[in-house]
Amino acid sequence: MITLTLLHPSQSTPVQSWTFGPESVIRIGRSKDNDIIIFSSVVSRNHVELWNNGTEWEIINFGANGTYVDNEPIAQRQVVDGMIFRMGSSGPKIQILLDKGDPDAVIKKQVENGSPDANTEQVFKESETYLTSRRVKSIDEDS
């Protein structure tokens, strides 16, 4: 299982989470045929893909504005639990959680580290900056 959590742009608190099972590819971008759709001017139609090769996940950039991990642009990288990537140099941030699927992990980590932003009452259920959705596959698409 893999959980992707959109983080609030300024406070890094969870805004929305999506959990996926054993899919081999998860697509993220502005296009309506992506698994996660994020409407932002810096997000490409087909911005990022996460590939599951059976033993590990990889993140692959397809976005014109780049994908960044630790403020460094990436082309392709192995995913590690808790990794945060940004679409574009100033775009939305998404945290990747492997197996556990705990969307509150960001808040818990901030509390453990004594972060001043770590107020669980400030968890946003709706982003003020990004509109998101998840494409629902029809039964015919599974075959």
Side-chain angles (χ1 to χ4, degrees), residues 45-56:
R45 287 183 299 240
N46 300 301
H47 198 104
V48 168
E49 289 185 2
L50 296 165
W51 292 4
N52 182 352
N53 67 16
T55 58
E56 62 186 20

Side-chain angles (χ1 to χ4, degrees), residues 6-7 9 38-40 42-43 85-88 90-94 130:
L6 178 68
L7 303 176
I38 298 182
F39 299 103
S40 169
V42 299
V43 175
F85 69 92
R86 181 185 297 272
M87 291 176 280
S90 63
K93 294 184 292 185
I94 294 181
Y130 311 112

Side-chain angles (χ1 to χ4, degrees), residues 12-14 103-112 118-120 123:
S12 293
T13 54
D104 293 327
V106 173
I107 294 172
K108 289 176 185 174
K109 188 172 185 178
Q110 288 175 340
V111 170
E112 289 169 7
N119 183 349
T120 55
V123 175

